[in-house]
Short mmCIF file of all heavy atoms in Angstrom, two decimals:
data_model
loop_
_atom_site.label_atom_id
_atom_site.label_comp_id
_atom_site.label_asym_id
_atom_site.label_seq_id
_atom_site.Cartn_x
_atom_site.Cartn_y
_atom_site.Cartn_z
N GLU A 41 42.33 -37.90 -6.89
CA GLU A 41 43.38 -38.74 -6.33
C GLU A 41 42.70 -39.91 -5.62
O GLU A 41 41.92 -39.70 -4.68
CB GLU A 41 44.23 -37.92 -5.36
CG GLU A 41 44.98 -38.69 -4.31
CD GLU A 41 46.08 -39.59 -4.82
OE1 GLU A 41 46.46 -39.49 -5.99
OE2 GLU A 41 46.59 -40.41 -4.03
N ALA A 42 42.93 -41.11 -6.10
CA ALA A 42 42.34 -42.30 -5.50
C ALA A 42 43.46 -43.21 -4.99
O ALA A 42 44.53 -43.28 -5.59
CB ALA A 42 41.48 -43.04 -6.50
N ARG A 43 43.16 -43.86 -3.89
CA ARG A 43 44.14 -44.76 -3.28
C ARG A 43 43.36 -45.93 -2.67
O ARG A 43 42.47 -45.72 -1.86
CB ARG A 43 44.89 -44.00 -2.19
CG ARG A 43 46.17 -44.62 -1.74
CD ARG A 43 46.81 -43.78 -0.65
NE ARG A 43 47.47 -42.61 -1.20
CZ ARG A 43 48.05 -41.68 -0.45
NH1 ARG A 43 48.02 -41.75 0.86
NH2 ARG A 43 48.64 -40.66 -1.02
N GLY A 44 43.70 -47.14 -3.09
CA GLY A 44 43.02 -48.31 -2.54
C GLY A 44 41.53 -48.28 -2.78
O GLY A 44 40.76 -48.70 -1.91
N GLY A 45 41.08 -47.75 -3.92
CA GLY A 45 39.67 -47.69 -4.23
C GLY A 45 38.92 -46.57 -3.55
O GLY A 45 37.70 -46.47 -3.66
N LYS A 46 39.64 -45.70 -2.82
CA LYS A 46 38.99 -44.58 -2.13
C LYS A 46 39.46 -43.27 -2.74
O LYS A 46 40.61 -43.12 -3.11
CB LYS A 46 39.30 -44.62 -0.64
CG LYS A 46 38.70 -45.85 0.02
CD LYS A 46 38.68 -45.71 1.51
CE LYS A 46 38.00 -46.92 2.10
NZ LYS A 46 36.86 -46.55 2.91
N LEU A 47 38.52 -42.33 -2.82
CA LEU A 47 38.77 -41.03 -3.44
C LEU A 47 39.00 -39.97 -2.37
O LEU A 47 38.26 -39.90 -1.38
CB LEU A 47 37.56 -40.65 -4.30
CG LEU A 47 37.64 -39.32 -5.04
CD1 LEU A 47 38.76 -39.34 -6.09
CD2 LEU A 47 36.29 -39.03 -5.71
N LEU A 48 39.99 -39.11 -2.59
CA LEU A 48 40.29 -38.01 -1.69
C LEU A 48 39.34 -36.84 -2.01
O LEU A 48 39.29 -36.36 -3.13
CB LEU A 48 41.73 -37.55 -1.88
CG LEU A 48 42.17 -36.36 -1.05
CD1 LEU A 48 42.41 -36.80 0.39
CD2 LEU A 48 43.42 -35.74 -1.62
N TRP A 141 38.93 -39.72 2.83
CA TRP A 141 38.92 -40.68 1.73
C TRP A 141 37.57 -41.39 1.75
O TRP A 141 37.10 -41.80 2.80
CB TRP A 141 40.04 -41.70 1.90
CG TRP A 141 41.41 -41.10 1.90
CD1 TRP A 141 42.10 -40.62 2.98
CD2 TRP A 141 42.26 -40.93 0.77
NE1 TRP A 141 43.33 -40.15 2.58
CE2 TRP A 141 43.46 -40.33 1.23
CE3 TRP A 141 42.14 -41.21 -0.59
CZ2 TRP A 141 44.52 -40.02 0.38
CZ3 TRP A 141 43.19 -40.91 -1.44
CH2 TRP A 141 44.36 -40.32 -0.96
N PHE A 142 36.97 -41.56 0.56
CA PHE A 142 35.65 -42.19 0.45
C PHE A 142 35.65 -43.25 -0.64
O PHE A 142 36.17 -43.02 -1.73
CB PHE A 142 34.59 -41.14 0.12
CG PHE A 142 34.43 -40.09 1.17
CD1 PHE A 142 35.13 -38.89 1.08
CD2 PHE A 142 33.61 -40.30 2.26
CE1 PHE A 142 34.99 -37.91 2.05
CE2 PHE A 142 33.46 -39.33 3.24
CZ PHE A 142 34.15 -38.14 3.14
N GLY A 143 35.02 -44.39 -0.33
CA GLY A 143 34.83 -45.43 -1.33
C GLY A 143 33.77 -44.99 -2.33
O GLY A 143 32.97 -44.08 -2.08
N ALA A 144 33.74 -45.67 -3.48
CA ALA A 144 32.82 -45.31 -4.56
C ALA A 144 31.37 -45.38 -4.13
O ALA A 144 30.53 -44.63 -4.65
CB ALA A 144 33.06 -46.22 -5.76
N ASP A 145 31.04 -46.22 -3.18
CA ASP A 145 29.65 -46.37 -2.75
C ASP A 145 29.37 -45.65 -1.43
O ASP A 145 28.32 -45.85 -0.83
CB ASP A 145 29.27 -47.84 -2.65
CG ASP A 145 30.18 -48.61 -1.69
OD1 ASP A 145 31.20 -48.04 -1.24
OD2 ASP A 145 29.87 -49.77 -1.40
N GLU A 146 30.29 -44.81 -0.97
CA GLU A 146 30.09 -44.10 0.30
C GLU A 146 30.44 -42.62 0.18
O GLU A 146 30.90 -42.02 1.13
CB GLU A 146 30.93 -44.76 1.40
CG GLU A 146 32.43 -44.80 1.09
CD GLU A 146 33.25 -45.60 2.10
OE1 GLU A 146 32.69 -46.46 2.79
OE2 GLU A 146 34.46 -45.34 2.16
N LEU A 147 30.19 -42.03 -0.99
CA LEU A 147 30.52 -40.62 -1.20
C LEU A 147 29.61 -39.74 -0.35
O LEU A 147 28.42 -40.01 -0.21
CB LEU A 147 30.41 -40.27 -2.68
CG LEU A 147 31.43 -41.02 -3.55
CD1 LEU A 147 31.14 -40.80 -5.03
CD2 LEU A 147 32.85 -40.60 -3.22
N TRP A 164 33.90 -40.87 -12.42
CA TRP A 164 35.00 -41.51 -11.70
C TRP A 164 34.64 -42.95 -11.36
O TRP A 164 35.45 -43.86 -11.58
CB TRP A 164 35.34 -40.73 -10.43
CG TRP A 164 36.32 -41.45 -9.56
CD1 TRP A 164 37.66 -41.62 -9.80
CD2 TRP A 164 36.04 -42.12 -8.33
NE1 TRP A 164 38.23 -42.36 -8.79
CE2 TRP A 164 37.26 -42.68 -7.88
CE3 TRP A 164 34.90 -42.31 -7.57
CZ2 TRP A 164 37.36 -43.41 -6.70
CZ3 TRP A 164 34.99 -43.02 -6.40
CH2 TRP A 164 36.21 -43.57 -5.97
N ARG A 165 33.42 -43.16 -10.84
CA ARG A 165 32.98 -44.52 -10.51
C ARG A 165 33.01 -45.41 -11.76
O ARG A 165 33.44 -46.55 -11.69
CB ARG A 165 31.57 -44.51 -9.93
CG ARG A 165 31.51 -44.22 -8.46
CD ARG A 165 30.21 -44.62 -7.82
NE ARG A 165 29.05 -43.82 -7.85
CZ ARG A 165 28.86 -42.59 -7.39
NH1 ARG A 165 29.76 -41.91 -6.91
NH2 ARG A 165 27.73 -41.99 -7.42
N LEU A 168 36.43 -46.84 -12.73
CA LEU A 168 37.09 -47.82 -11.87
C LEU A 168 37.07 -49.20 -12.52
O LEU A 168 36.11 -49.54 -13.22
CB LEU A 168 36.38 -47.89 -10.51
CG LEU A 168 36.43 -46.63 -9.66
CD1 LEU A 168 35.55 -46.79 -8.42
CD2 LEU A 168 37.85 -46.28 -9.29
N PRO A 169 38.11 -49.99 -12.30
CA PRO A 169 38.09 -51.34 -12.84
C PRO A 169 36.94 -52.13 -12.21
O PRO A 169 36.62 -51.93 -11.04
CB PRO A 169 39.45 -51.92 -12.46
CG PRO A 169 40.03 -51.00 -11.46
CD PRO A 169 39.30 -49.70 -11.53
#
Side-chain angles (χ1 to χ4, degrees):
E41 157 67 12
R43 197 181 283 177
K46 295 195 177 237
L47 181 65
L48 178 76
W141 299 89
F142 298 94
D145 57 351
E146 58 187 23
L147 295 171
W164 172 72
R165 276 197 278 301
L168 296 173

